[in-house]
PDB file of all heavy atoms in Angstrom:
ATOM      1  N   MET B  56     -49.929 -18.587 -12.863  1.00  0.00           N
ATOM      2  CA  MET B  56     -49.010 -19.824 -12.655  1.00  0.00           C
ATOM      3  C   MET B  56     -48.499 -19.746 -11.182  1.00  0.00           C
ATOM      4  O   MET B  56     -48.079 -18.744 -10.749  1.00  0.00           O
ATOM      5  CB  MET B  56     -47.944 -19.729 -13.614  1.00  0.00           C
ATOM      6  CG  MET B  56     -47.200 -21.017 -13.747  1.00  0.00           C
ATOM      7  SD  MET B  56     -45.978 -20.989 -15.071  1.00  0.00           S
ATOM      8  CE  MET B  56     -44.561 -20.482 -14.123  1.00  0.00           C
ATOM      9  N   PRO B  60     -42.564 -22.485  -3.794  1.00  0.00           N
ATOM     10  CA  PRO B  60     -41.562 -21.542  -3.170  1.00  0.00           C
ATOM     11  C   PRO B  60     -40.205 -22.168  -2.916  1.00  0.00           C
ATOM     12  O   PRO B  60     -40.153 -23.317  -2.589  1.00  0.00           O
ATOM     13  CB  PRO B  60     -42.268 -21.108  -1.881  1.00  0.00           C
ATOM     14  CG  PRO B  60     -43.307 -22.231  -1.522  1.00  0.00           C
ATOM     15  CD  PRO B  60     -43.647 -22.812  -2.851  1.00  0.00           C
ATOM     16  N   ILE B  75     -22.875 -10.225  -4.839  1.00  0.00           N
ATOM     17  CA  ILE B  75     -21.551 -10.514  -5.370  1.00  0.00           C
ATOM     18  C   ILE B  75     -21.474 -10.261  -6.865  1.00  0.00           C
ATOM     19  O   ILE B  75     -20.357 -10.173  -7.384  1.00  0.00           O
ATOM     20  CB  ILE B  75     -21.105 -11.852  -4.865  1.00  0.00           C
ATOM     21  CG1 ILE B  75     -21.177 -12.031  -3.421  1.00  0.00           C
ATOM     22  CG2 ILE B  75     -19.671 -12.075  -5.386  1.00  0.00           C
ATOM     23  CD1 ILE B  75     -20.825 -13.350  -2.825  1.00  0.00           C
ATOM     24  N   PHE B 123      15.574 -13.992 -22.092  1.00  0.00           N
ATOM     25  CA  PHE B 123      16.559 -14.678 -21.281  1.00  0.00           C
ATOM     26  C   PHE B 123      17.956 -14.665 -22.079  1.00  0.00           C
ATOM     27  O   PHE B 123      18.962 -14.631 -21.449  1.00  0.00           O
ATOM     28  CB  PHE B 123      16.194 -16.121 -21.029  1.00  0.00           C
ATOM     29  CG  PHE B 123      15.171 -16.167 -19.883  1.00  0.00           C
ATOM     30  CD1 PHE B 123      13.838 -16.516 -20.028  1.00  0.00           C
ATOM     31  CD2 PHE B 123      15.735 -15.952 -18.571  1.00  0.00           C
ATOM     32  CE1 PHE B 123      13.051 -16.481 -18.949  1.00  0.00           C
ATOM     33  CE2 PHE B 123      14.830 -16.060 -17.554  1.00  0.00           C
ATOM     34  CZ  PHE B 123      13.595 -16.315 -17.751  1.00  0.00           C
ATOM     35  N   LEU B 124      17.948 -14.749 -23.341  1.00  0.00           N
ATOM     36  CA  LEU B 124      19.202 -14.820 -24.076  1.00  0.00           C
ATOM     37  C   LEU B 124      19.681 -13.660 -24.683  1.00  0.00           C
ATOM     38  O   LEU B 124      20.940 -13.444 -24.781  1.00  0.00           O
ATOM     39  CB  LEU B 124      19.074 -15.912 -25.126  1.00  0.00           C
ATOM     40  CG  LEU B 124      18.498 -17.232 -24.711  1.00  0.00           C
ATOM     41  CD1 LEU B 124      18.280 -18.337 -25.909  1.00  0.00           C
ATOM     42  CD2 LEU B 124      19.548 -17.861 -23.694  1.00  0.00           C
ATOM     43  N   VAL B 146      13.306  -7.612   7.302  1.00  0.00           N
ATOM     44  CA  VAL B 146      13.486  -6.355   8.033  1.00  0.00           C
ATOM     45  C   VAL B 146      12.223  -5.599   8.180  1.00  0.00           C
ATOM     46  O   VAL B 146      11.931  -5.167   9.296  1.00  0.00           O
ATOM     47  CB  VAL B 146      14.603  -5.504   7.246  1.00  0.00           C
ATOM     48  CG1 VAL B 146      14.706  -4.075   7.932  1.00  0.00           C
ATOM     49  CG2 VAL B 146      15.979  -6.075   7.349  1.00  0.00           C
ATOM     50  N   LEU B 158       3.005   0.671  19.797  1.00  0.00           N
ATOM     51  CA  LEU B 158       1.676   1.380  19.637  1.00  0.00           C
ATOM     52  C   LEU B 158       0.588   0.710  20.546  1.00  0.00           C
ATOM     53  O   LEU B 158      -0.446   1.299  20.871  1.00  0.00           O
ATOM     54  CB  LEU B 158       1.249   1.532  18.280  1.00  0.00           C
ATOM     55  CG  LEU B 158       1.863   2.655  17.453  1.00  0.00           C
ATOM     56  CD1 LEU B 158       1.089   2.936  16.253  1.00  0.00           C
ATOM     57  CD2 LEU B 158       1.845   4.026  18.197  1.00  0.00           C
ATOM     58  N   LYS B 161      -0.078   1.280  26.467  1.00  0.00           N
ATOM     59  CA  LYS B 161      -0.742   2.493  26.937  1.00  0.00           C
ATOM     60  C   LYS B 161       0.276   3.430  27.441  1.00  0.00           C
ATOM     61  O   LYS B 161       1.113   3.037  28.315  1.00  0.00           O
ATOM     62  CB  LYS B 161      -1.836   2.212  28.015  1.00  0.00           C
ATOM     63  CG  LYS B 161      -3.112   1.548  27.483  1.00  0.00           C
ATOM     64  CD  LYS B 161      -4.282   2.396  27.746  1.00  0.00           C
ATOM     65  CE  LYS B 161      -5.421   1.919  26.828  1.00  0.00           C
ATOM     66  NZ  LYS B 161      -6.012   0.765  27.347  1.00  0.00           N
ATOM     67  N   PHE B 162       0.426   4.628  26.940  1.00  0.00           N
ATOM     68  CA  PHE B 162       1.310   5.567  27.572  1.00  0.00           C
ATOM     69  C   PHE B 162       0.713   7.009  27.295  1.00  0.00           C
ATOM     70  O   PHE B 162      -0.144   7.211  26.460  1.00  0.00           O
ATOM     71  CB  PHE B 162       2.795   5.474  27.047  1.00  0.00           C
ATOM     72  CG  PHE B 162       2.853   5.406  25.585  1.00  0.00           C
ATOM     73  CD1 PHE B 162       2.908   6.485  24.850  1.00  0.00           C
ATOM     74  CD2 PHE B 162       2.821   4.145  24.844  1.00  0.00           C
ATOM     75  CE1 PHE B 162       3.081   6.455  23.404  1.00  0.00           C
ATOM     76  CE2 PHE B 162       2.853   4.102  23.502  1.00  0.00           C
ATOM     77  CZ  PHE B 162       2.991   5.245  22.851  1.00  0.00           C
ATOM     78  N   ARG B 165      -0.177   9.069  23.633  1.00  0.00           N
ATOM     79  CA  ARG B 165      -0.357   7.870  22.657  1.00  0.00           C
ATOM     80  C   ARG B 165      -1.128   8.355  21.375  1.00  0.00           C
ATOM     81  O   ARG B 165      -0.820   7.942  20.311  1.00  0.00           O
ATOM     82  CB  ARG B 165      -1.077   6.766  23.366  1.00  0.00           C
ATOM     83  CG  ARG B 165      -0.948   5.583  22.511  1.00  0.00           C
ATOM     84  CD  ARG B 165      -1.422   4.358  23.378  1.00  0.00           C
ATOM     85  NE  ARG B 165      -2.880   4.441  23.519  1.00  0.00           N
ATOM     86  CZ  ARG B 165      -3.712   3.371  23.221  1.00  0.00           C
ATOM     87  NH1 ARG B 165      -3.241   2.245  22.927  1.00  0.00           N
ATOM     88  NH2 ARG B 165      -5.051   3.578  23.360  1.00  0.00           N
ATOM     89  N   ARG B 169       0.363   7.945  17.742  1.00  0.00           N
ATOM     90  CA  ARG B 169      -0.312   7.167  16.795  1.00  0.00           C
ATOM     91  C   ARG B 169      -0.522   7.913  15.464  1.00  0.00           C
ATOM     92  O   ARG B 169      -0.388   7.418  14.402  1.00  0.00           O
ATOM     93  CB  ARG B 169      -1.689   6.813  17.295  1.00  0.00           C
ATOM     94  CG  ARG B 169      -1.609   5.569  18.066  1.00  0.00           C
ATOM     95  CD  ARG B 169      -2.985   4.910  18.288  1.00  0.00           C
ATOM     96  NE  ARG B 169      -2.637   3.738  19.070  1.00  0.00           N
ATOM     97  CZ  ARG B 169      -3.558   2.714  19.207  1.00  0.00           C
ATOM     98  NH1 ARG B 169      -4.631   2.707  18.616  1.00  0.00           N
ATOM     99  NH2 ARG B 169      -3.068   1.754  19.854  1.00  0.00           N
ATOM    100  N   SER B 194      18.403  12.513   2.725  1.00  0.00           N
ATOM    101  CA  SER B 194      18.711  11.122   2.985  1.00  0.00           C
ATOM    102  C   SER B 194      20.011  10.976   3.784  1.00  0.00           C
ATOM    103  O   SER B 194      20.155  10.024   4.617  1.00  0.00           O
ATOM    104  CB  SER B 194      18.639  10.310   1.776  1.00  0.00           C
ATOM    105  OG  SER B 194      19.567  10.865   0.876  1.00  0.00           O
ATOM    106  N   ILE B 207      28.440  17.025   1.130  1.00  0.00           N
ATOM    107  CA  ILE B 207      27.959  15.920   2.014  1.00  0.00           C
ATOM    108  C   ILE B 207      28.975  14.832   2.331  1.00  0.00           C
ATOM    109  O   ILE B 207      29.731  14.403   1.332  1.00  0.00           O
ATOM    110  CB  ILE B 207      26.830  15.271   1.211  1.00  0.00           C
ATOM    111  CG1 ILE B 207      25.684  16.252   0.959  1.00  0.00           C
ATOM    112  CG2 ILE B 207      26.192  14.119   2.021  1.00  0.00           C
ATOM    113  CD1 ILE B 207      24.973  16.096  -0.355  1.00  0.00           C
ATOM    114  N   MET B 216      33.587   0.855  12.474  1.00  0.00           N
ATOM    115  CA  MET B 216      33.431  -0.048  13.546  1.00  0.00           C
ATOM    116  C   MET B 216      33.448  -1.541  13.040  1.00  0.00           C
ATOM    117  O   MET B 216      34.142  -2.356  13.636  1.00  0.00           O
ATOM    118  CB  MET B 216      32.073   0.159  14.227  1.00  0.00           C
ATOM    119  CG  MET B 216      31.936  -0.227  15.592  1.00  0.00           C
ATOM    120  SD  MET B 216      30.326   0.384  16.210  1.00  0.00           S
ATOM    121  CE  MET B 216      29.275  -0.798  15.608  1.00  0.00           C
ATOM    122  N   ASN B 228      29.216  -4.523   3.757  1.00  0.00           N
ATOM    123  CA  ASN B 228      28.354  -3.847   2.787  1.00  0.00           C
ATOM    124  C   ASN B 228      26.882  -4.113   3.037  1.00  0.00           C
ATOM    125  O   ASN B 228      26.026  -3.183   2.894  1.00  0.00           O
ATOM    126  CB  ASN B 228      28.649  -4.507   1.354  1.00  0.00           C
ATOM    127  CG  ASN B 228      29.847  -3.827   0.774  1.00  0.00           C
ATOM    128  OD1 ASN B 228      30.245  -2.713   1.292  1.00  0.00           O
ATOM    129  ND2 ASN B 228      30.455  -4.433  -0.163  1.00  0.00           N
ATOM    130  N   ALA B 230      25.462  -4.708   5.999  1.00  0.00           N
ATOM    131  CA  ALA B 230      25.178  -4.056   7.229  1.00  0.00           C
ATOM    132  C   ALA B 230      24.966  -2.474   6.883  1.00  0.00           C
ATOM    133  O   ALA B 230      24.051  -1.893   7.329  1.00  0.00           O
ATOM    134  CB  ALA B 230      26.229  -4.148   8.289  1.00  0.00           C
ATOM    135  N   PRO B 259      -6.872 -12.729  22.955  1.00  0.00           N
ATOM    136  CA  PRO B 259      -7.704 -12.431  24.231  1.00  0.00           C
ATOM    137  C   PRO B 259      -6.753 -12.136  25.404  1.00  0.00           C
ATOM    138  O   PRO B 259      -5.800 -12.773  25.563  1.00  0.00           O
ATOM    139  CB  PRO B 259      -8.384 -13.819  24.370  1.00  0.00           C
ATOM    140  CG  PRO B 259      -7.812 -14.731  23.500  1.00  0.00           C
ATOM    141  CD  PRO B 259      -7.061 -13.938  22.296  1.00  0.00           C
ATOM    142  N   GLY B 270       3.270 -16.651  36.792  1.00  0.00           N
ATOM    143  CA  GLY B 270       4.654 -16.114  37.024  1.00  0.00           C
ATOM    144  C   GLY B 270       5.435 -15.850  35.833  1.00  0.00           C
ATOM    145  O   GLY B 270       6.757 -15.628  35.936  1.00  0.00           O
ATOM    146  N   THR B 302       6.214  -5.307  -6.558  1.00  0.00           N
ATOM    147  CA  THR B 302       5.502  -4.327  -7.497  1.00  0.00           C
ATOM    148  C   THR B 302       5.822  -2.839  -7.213  1.00  0.00           C
ATOM    149  O   THR B 302       5.185  -2.011  -7.906  1.00  0.00           O
ATOM    150  CB  THR B 302       4.001  -4.498  -7.392  1.00  0.00           C
ATOM    151  OG1 THR B 302       3.615  -4.394  -5.985  1.00  0.00           O
ATOM    152  CG2 THR B 302       3.592  -5.828  -7.842  1.00  0.00           C
ATOM    153  N   GLY B 324       4.570  -7.221 -26.480  1.00  0.00           N
ATOM    154  CA  GLY B 324       4.593  -8.638 -26.410  1.00  0.00           C
ATOM    155  C   GLY B 324       5.848  -9.116 -25.524  1.00  0.00           C
ATOM    156  O   GLY B 324       5.752  -9.753 -24.548  1.00  0.00           O
ATOM    157  N   ARG B 349       1.936 -23.726   6.382  1.00  0.00           N
ATOM    158  CA  ARG B 349       1.072 -24.730   6.603  1.00  0.00           C
ATOM    159  C   ARG B 349       1.872 -25.841   7.398  1.00  0.00           C
ATOM    160  O   ARG B 349       1.249 -26.482   8.256  1.00  0.00           O
ATOM    161  CB  ARG B 349       0.715 -25.341   5.231  1.00  0.00           C
ATOM    162  CG  ARG B 349      -0.118 -26.697   5.297  1.00  0.00           C
ATOM    163  CD  ARG B 349      -0.927 -26.883   4.140  1.00  0.00           C
ATOM    164  NE  ARG B 349      -2.183 -25.983   4.145  1.00  0.00           N
ATOM    165  CZ  ARG B 349      -3.251 -26.102   3.355  1.00  0.00           C
ATOM    166  NH1 ARG B 349      -3.170 -27.137   2.377  1.00  0.00           N
ATOM    167  NH2 ARG B 349      -4.267 -25.452   3.406  1.00  0.00           N
ATOM    168  N   SER B 352       1.878 -24.605  10.923  1.00  0.00           N
ATOM    169  CA  SER B 352       0.701 -24.799  11.735  1.00  0.00           C
ATOM    170  C   SER B 352       0.472 -26.246  12.059  1.00  0.00           C
ATOM    171  O   SER B 352      -0.134 -26.644  13.037  1.00  0.00           O
ATOM    172  CB  SER B 352      -0.444 -24.129  10.978  1.00  0.00           C
ATOM    173  OG  SER B 352      -0.660 -24.765   9.757  1.00  0.00           O
ATOM    174  N   HIS B 354       2.643 -28.564  12.537  1.00  0.00           N
ATOM    175  CA  HIS B 354       3.617 -29.045  13.502  1.00  0.00           C
ATOM    176  C   HIS B 354       3.213 -28.638  14.889  1.00  0.00           C
ATOM    177  O   HIS B 354       3.278 -29.372  15.831  1.00  0.00           O
ATOM    178  CB  HIS B 354       4.948 -28.389  13.067  1.00  0.00           C
ATOM    179  CG  HIS B 354       6.137 -28.942  13.977  1.00  0.00           C
ATOM    180  ND1 HIS B 354       6.604 -30.193  13.859  1.00  0.00           N
ATOM    181  CD2 HIS B 354       6.783 -28.242  14.922  1.00  0.00           C
ATOM    182  CE1 HIS B 354       7.530 -30.309  14.679  1.00  0.00           C
ATOM    183  NE2 HIS B 354       7.649 -29.223  15.348  1.00  0.00           N
ATOM    184  N   THR B 355       2.573 -27.301  14.999  1.00  0.00           N
ATOM    185  CA  THR B 355       2.195 -26.806  16.332  1.00  0.00           C
ATOM    186  C   THR B 355       0.947 -27.361  16.830  1.00  0.00           C
ATOM    187  O   THR B 355       0.791 -27.596  18.014  1.00  0.00           O
ATOM    188  CB  THR B 355       2.191 -25.243  16.371  1.00  0.00           C
ATOM    189  OG1 THR B 355       1.534 -24.874  15.212  1.00  0.00           O
ATOM    190  CG2 THR B 355       3.656 -24.721  16.306  1.00  0.00           C
TER     191      THR B 355
END
Side-chain angles (χ1 to χ4, degrees):
Chain B
M56 195 175 91
I75 303 176
F123 280 107
L124 303 176
V146 172
L158 278 194
K161 287 242 163 73
F162 51 85
R165 195 171 69 135
R169 276 195 177 199
S194 54
I207 299 147
M216 206 173 78
N228 281 340
T302 54
R349 175 155 283 190
S352 66
H354 188 72
T355 47

